[in-house]
Structures are given as C-alpha cells and as structure tokens.
Amino acid sequence: MHTNYYFLRQLAPALEALLTGLRFVECFSQDRDEVVLVFAQAKGKQNYYKPFYIKAVLRPDFSGLLFPQTVQRARNNSVDLFEEVTNSLPGQEEVQGNSDETVEANRPGRAVIGVRSFLNERCLAILLEDKYTMLFKFFGNRPNLLAFHENTVTDLFNQKLLTDRQLVLDALDRPIDQSWEAFEKAGYDHRKLFPTFGKVVNEWLNEQAVNNTLTTPEAKWTLIQQTLQQLEQPHYYLTKLHHKPTLSLLPLGDIQRELMDPVEAGNRFFITYNGLTAFEHEKGNLLRLLEKRRKRAEALIEINLQRIVDREEGASHEEMGHILMANLHDIPVVSGSKSPETVTLTDFYRDQPITIRLKPDLSPQKNAENYYRKAKNEKIEEDYLTGQITAREEEITLLDRQKADLEAIQTLKELRRYSKQHNLQSDQLANQLASGDTTNLFKEVIIDKFRILIGRNAKNNDLLTQKYAYKEDLWLHARDVAGSHVIVKYQAGKPFPKNVIERAAELAAWYSKRRTDSLCPVIVTPKKYVRKPKGLAEGQVIVDKEDSILVVPRE
C-alpha cells in the first residue's frame, strides 16, 4: 500500500513543505528499475546545499519512494536522466564581496513550486518553474517517471511503456460520482465507485462488515463513509498482512508500528519491504500460496454443498417418475400415444399438485422411464459432489498441517527442502484437476452456459482429453490436420445445442492448420469413442466412431 491513492494524497503536502524553494538539480539512474532525483539549494553546477533525495523503485512487482539522507552515486554504470529539466538556466547572481554588482551565472535546475496528487488516480507530481512537471505514475505493474512540459510528455524513465507518451497532464484527474444515488445504481457494489480502495481497504471493509454483521446497504454505506474519514487522517500502520509487510492507513493485520509522518512511514515501509531476506520472501510466498489454495478449497465446498441443497429442493427425478407411473391413467394422450408438454398431477409425497414437463414425442410411460434415467445420473452426480466435498476437506486438513510446518521452519535450506519434498510449488495441476478448476490450464469459452475447453499444444491436448474430459463430453478436432483438441463439457440431462456444437467446431477449425481455409471439416464425437493406445505421439489419438460438420474457421 506504499503507493496507495490515499497515502499519496497525504504525502503530497508533506513533500511540498520540504521541496518548495529547492531546485531540481540532478536526476540519475544506476540500476535498471531505480532512479534518483536530487533537489537542493544550489549555486553553480555541482555546488549543492542541503540536498533532498528521492529514490524511486519502479519495478512491475513493486513500486515505491524512499527519502534517504544521502545517496552515493557510483562513478561508473550511472547515467544522467531528464537533462532537459535539470539543465542550467541563466539567472542573476551577486558577485561575492560586492552587493551592487551582478553577473549572468549558471544556476542548475528548476525551482520546485509545488507538489500535488490527482483525483482518483495513483500519481504524484512535482511542479517546477517554466511549466515543467515531474510525474510519478504508479499504475499497477506499469509504474514510471515522466517529464511534462505544460500538458505534453517530453521524456520517460521507462521508454518501453510507449502508451505513457500519450498521457495528458490535465486529464489525469478522474472525477467519479461517489454519492449514495450512484451507490444504488451500482447495485451497492462500492468497488465501482471507489476503484482506488485497493485490496487492503476492501479487505478492511469486508472484515468490518462481517464482524459487525452489516447486511443492509445503508449500514454498508455508513461503514464506507467512516472508512473514508479514517483514510484522510494522518495515521500510518506498518503492519504484516498475509505474511507480507504492508503500509496501511487502517489498523489491519499484525501491526508492528504506528506512525504519524508520511515521509517517515514511507521510509520505514520501503526499508522493511526491500530489506527482506530471500528466506523471508520465499517463506511468505509459500504461506500465501497455501492460504490461496485453502480459500479455493473452501469455496469449492460451498459451491458443491449449494448444488446438493438445490437438488434436494422440490421433487427429485425419481419421485417424478413414480408420480407419472402412479397416474398414467390421468395423463391425456395427444395424437396417438404422444404426451402433452406439461401435466399437473397429485404429488403424493407432499400432498399437493405438481406440474411435470414431458417430452411430447414420447408416451407417458416412456417419459417416466426418461425421469428414472435422469435419476440414475442424478445419483451419480450426487455421489460425485459428495466425493468432491470429502476430497476438499482432506485437502484443507493437509494445507493446515503444511502451513504449521512452514511457520516453524527457520532456515532457507530447510524451507526449500520441505517445499521440494511436499511438492508445494508444482502440485497446482493436481489440485486443479481434482477440483475442476481449469483456470490457465486451457483456453475456455462459455456458450449458452456450456463450457468449451481448448487445448494449447500437443502435450496440453493430451492433458485435456485424457485427464480432464469424461466419456459424456463432446470431443471435436479439425479433420486430417494438426490442431487443438476441443471439449464441450456435458451437463446432466441436457442435450448439446446445435449452436454450441457449431461454435465449438468453428473454434476447433480456427485452432488448427486449416485456420485460413474458407471451410473446414471438423470431427464431432462423444469422448468415449476417443482413445490413445501406447506408442502414439503427444496429441495423437484414435477415433473409433465419428460424425463431421463443415464450418468456417472463426476465433
């Protein structure tokens, strides 16, 4: 939270008091992701008085500011930056010993006239004379330092961030309607109104809402307003959150120290975070990984429990089959032995009427048999859901034990040995397959609630077809050419819609060597007819029974 929007709002006036009147005399870098700015009272080139240093780290994984007392510039491997801004300017200077005589002298740099933050944006600007501005931009994993002349970017620290050249200084302020009415229109989702809160503030809000059992929108809105007031107060907490040093404006996590000055708070956090040893970094990363997996397992348990509850509400497929068989004589027959689309009968399980949907092209007795078949699949699915819950509960027990083991480890060597022995870094695939979570494993498309999974390469195709696809799923592949395996996941009791099959075939054609063809034949078959005998190369399979469809390749 070092570059959090609310921290920058309070840092700006503190820096303004320290920098106003000083000159921006030098800027250099001696590290790929670090830049040092020097401000001072100056008379003559390299003749500085009372220098003030800002050291900025601008890495994708961490960005922040340090205000050190001294900075030693290396003789080699350092480069001057932003020389257009720090160049010498002509000015009037008195000749020593004669107050009545003045001469033209070189005065380095431009004077600081102010420091400002921006509305709802993570930026900090140092305003200089002659309409120059040095802007620290802390946008996620794209931090940068930019020089502006008036509204136009004149130079960048990270030249690879090409879009930064399009930034307009006056357009950085981002007004957002943060009223109660806007909160209502946003469906009471505060994140749409306050994107600058970030993970720490949102975690604080969730924790407060749970602890105080806040359920109504009005109560949540009151909490948000109270939190905004706290964020504007000069209290800074150096805390540890999720095993990581954090600078927070809210009393959250394992608080190590409370500070009142934003410059001192920024310094202490910067030193603490960047002073972590390799052991502390790796241990914290592993503990966060275990906690992430635990939350995922808890979420999957909740999802599967809800599925079981949803299935138990109302009549089951087996009960509807029994009700149909017990009331065959009451079901009207339409055109021969066909059935109506719906029929209302007496539910003798609950002693109330029940409306049951029927397939008109089947007889009442065949409809009952269809419900019995669904009941069999329902039992299989219920057993699967129960098994998933048990597996996730066992996973949570294992994760808790591993977390306790990690917390007790005190050396890097022991930590790495434990991680390797327990496969902590590489068991993500097994967990994803066991949980049904395919995030980042395969390309995924959702069409009418049907999941379409696409293999990324030959090895990934084998993983998709052999490990993740089940016999009821639909398997597709462009005919006679190399390409991705495509799977449409089966949904119990639901036929594959024609538009879903066609879309999956278009994707199979696109992710194949026939991408540029005007039309492409695509194999379509249930996965149970796809097999991989020993000896076949990665991605190769044998299809025992197939249909085909002709489509236009489309991404």
Side-chain angles (χ1 to χ4, degrees):
M1 196 171 172
H2 187 213
T3 53
N4 174 271
Y5 166 69
Y6 295 95
F7 177 74
L8 295 176
R9 278 173 59 89
Q10 297 178 28
L11 180 62
L15 279 182
E16 184 172 71
L18 294 168
L19 291 177
T20 301
L22 300 183
R23 307 187 75 83
F24 180 34
V25 295
E26 189 178 7
C27 185
F28 62 90
S29 177
Q30 47 198 10
D31 191 292
R32 186 180 65 178
D33 297 313
E34 291 183 2
V35 59
V36 177
L37 292 76
V38 185
F39 301 85
Q41 299 172 357
K43 291 185 178 181
K45 188 66 175 175
Q46 299 298 329
N47 189 12
Y48 304 154
Y49 295 91
K50 300 180 180 178
F52 184 91
Y53 300 97
I54 298 179
K55 180 179 179 180
V57 172
L58 302 169
R59 300 197 309 264
D61 62 323
F62 174 82
S63 58
L65 303 175
L66 177 69
F67 313 101
Q69 293 293 319
T70 60
V71 174
Q72 296 297 323
R73 181 172 182 176
R75 293 184 178 181
N76 300 317
N77 300 321
S78 69
V79 59
D80 288 310
L81 301 171
F82 300 101
E83 292 183 278
E84 178 186 347
V85 188
T86 62
N87 66 349
S88 298
L89 299 173
Q92 298 293 323
E93 183 174 289
E94 293 182 357
V95 176
Q96 188 174 1
N98 188 347
S99 61
D100 295 328
E101 184 180 356
T102 61
V103 297
E104 290 294 319
N106 286 331
R107 296 170 60 196
R110 288 176 166 82
V112 177
I113 60 176
V115 179
R116 64 159 296 195
S117 58
F118 294 81
L119 184 62
N120 295 311
E121 206 61 274
R122 294 173 61 194
C123 292
L124 185 73
I126 299 175
L127 312 178
L128 306 168
E129 62 183 351
D130 301 322
K131 299 182 180 180
Y132 277 89
T133 301
M134 297 301 296
L135 179 85
F136 293 100
K137 176 182 75 80
F138 300 109
F139 290 5
N141 61 357
R142 297 175 290 111
N144 209 353
L145 174 62
L146 304 88
F148 283 85
H149 185 239
E150 296 184 330
N151 256 335
T152 305
V153 175
T154 60
D155 203 356
L156 306 173
F157 172 62
N158 187 342
Q159 300 287 339
K160 294 181 180 180
L161 298 177
L162 298 179
T163 56
D164 282 359
R165 291 195 174 274
Q166 310 304 317
L167 292 177
V168 177
L169 190 64
D170 287 348
L172 286 175
D173 283 313
R174 186 165 50 137
I176 300 175
D177 184 357
Q178 296 175 335
S179 65
W180 165 258
E181 291 74 18
F183 186 52
E184 286 182 305
K185 290 180 182 178
Y188 307 112
D189 183 357
H190 72 272
R191 290 169 295 186
K192 296 178 181 179
L193 274 63
F194 302 96
T196 53
F197 275 178
K199 293 181 180 179
V200 175
V201 179
N202 285 327
E203 184 166 336
W204 163 267
L205 290 171
N206 290 337
E207 185 178 285
Q208 295 299 306
V210 171
N211 291 344
N212 296 286
T213 61
L214 304 179
T215 57
T216 67
E218 292 78 10
K220 291 180 181 178
W221 182 249
T222 299
L223 173 61
I224 290 169
Q225 300 308 307
Q226 292 171 346
T227 300
L228 285 170
Q229 291 179 6
Q230 286 181 271
L231 291 170
E232 297 293 345
Q233 300 302 316
H235 289 270
Y236 313 98
Y237 301 93
L238 189 58
T239 182
K240 188 169 283 190
L241 192 62
H242 303 307
H243 314 285
K244 183 188 294 186
T246 303
L247 181 61
S248 172
L249 275 68
L250 299 165
L252 185 68
D254 181 14
I255 297 172
Q256 310 290 311
R257 186 162 187 168
E258 182 177 352
L259 300 155
M260 301 297 290
D261 176 55
V263 173
E264 182 186 2
N267 275 347
R268 288 189 178 275
F269 167 73
F270 189 102
I271 293 168
T272 300
Y273 188 93
N274 289 283
L276 292 177
T277 64
F279 168 70
E280 290 170 318
H281 270 298
E282 290 190 25
K283 185 174 181 178
N285 287 338
L286 287 172
L287 287 169
R288 284 190 294 276
L289 180 64
L290 295 184
E291 288 181 353
K292 183 178 180 180
R293 290 174 180 170
R294 194 184 197 286
K295 288 181 179 179
R296 185 182 65 199
E298 289 174 341
L300 289 168
I301 289 174
E302 185 65 29
I303 290 170
N304 289 330
L305 283 173
Q306 188 59 50
R307 287 177 181 173
I308 291 175
V309 170
D310 292 342
R311 294 168 61 83
E312 291 176 349
E313 293 180 355
S316 67
H317 288 134
E318 183 178 24
E319 289 173 343
M320 285 190 277
H322 291 334
I323 293 169
L324 286 174
M325 289 301 295
N327 294 276
L328 287 177
H329 58 284
D330 291 329
I331 301 174
V333 177
V334 181
S335 62
S337 61
K338 306 303 181 184
S339 302
E341 291 187 0
T342 62
V343 63
T344 300
L345 303 170
T346 300
D347 180 355
F348 48 78
Y349 290 98
R350 298 163 186 82
D351 194 24
Q352 62 185 25
I354 183 173
T355 298
I356 300 176
R357 296 181 64 181
L358 303 176
K359 290 189 174 183
D361 57 334
L362 299 179
S363 67
Q365 186 169 350
K366 288 292 184 180
N367 268 291
E369 292 175 4
N370 188 47
Y371 274 107
Y372 287 137
R373 180 182 59 79
K374 289 183 178 181
K376 183 178 179 181
N377 292 335
E378 197 173 57
K379 181 64 170 64
I380 294 172
E381 186 177 358
E382 184 177 335
D383 291 342
Y384 171 78
L385 293 174
T386 303
Q388 285 291 292
I389 291 171
T390 302
R392 299 288 71 76
E393 289 174 341
E394 292 173 352
E395 181 184 352
I396 288 174
T397 301
L398 173 62
L399 291 170
D400 288 344
R401 184 168 66 249
Q402 290 175 339
K403 182 181 176 183
D405 292 344
L406 283 179
E407 288 175 338
I409 292 174
Q410 298 299 321
T411 66
L412 182 60
K413 184 178 180 180
E414 186 183 359
L415 181 74
R416 289 176 175 172
R417 184 190 304 118
Y418 184 90
S419 176
K420 186 175 181 180
Q421 287 175 345
H422 293 81
N423 214 20
L424 295 186
Q425 296 282 19
S426 60
D427 65 348
Q428 182 178 8
L429 174 62
N431 283 346
Q432 285 182 305
L433 293 176
S435 65
D437 177 11
T438 60
T439 305
N440 298 323
L441 285 179
F442 317 110
K443 298 183 181 74
E444 182 169 344
V445 178
I446 306 295
I447 304 293
D448 291 346
K449 298 183 180 180
F450 278 82
R451 296 169 62 213
I452 301 174
L453 305 178
I454 307 164
R456 297 179 181 274
N457 50 49
K459 186 174 182 179
N460 194 244
N461 282 338
D462 278 346
L463 174 66
L464 174 59
T465 299
Q466 304 303 318
K467 299 292 186 181
Y468 193 76
Y470 299 95
K471 65 179 182 179
E472 299 90 354
D473 296 340
L474 203 61
W475 186 90
L476 300 94
H477 193 283
R479 182 184 292 280
D480 299 330
V481 292
S484 293
H485 295 194
V486 175
I487 292 292
V488 183
K489 297 302 293 179
Y490 173 73
Q491 295 185 25
K494 294 183 180 180
F496 294 105
K498 182 179 178 181
N499 67 305
V500 173
I501 296 174
E502 290 178 350
R503 185 71 189 97
E506 291 171 347
L507 290 165
W510 177 266
Y511 291 103
S512 77
K513 295 293 186 180
R514 291 185 183 269
R515 175 182 294 192
T516 58
D517 291 2
S518 56
L519 288 173
C520 173
V522 175
I523 296 170
V524 182
T525 188
K527 192 271 173 184
K528 62 184 176 182
Y529 296 122
V530 180
R531 57 190 175 88
K532 185 179 180 70
K534 290 183 178 180
L536 290 188
E538 287 184 342
Q540 289 186 339
V541 294
I542 292 176
V543 181
D544 294 324
K545 183 178 178 181
E546 66 184 61
D547 291 320
S548 64
I549 182 174
L550 202 61
V551 296
V552 177
R554 187 160 67 92
E555 188 175 12

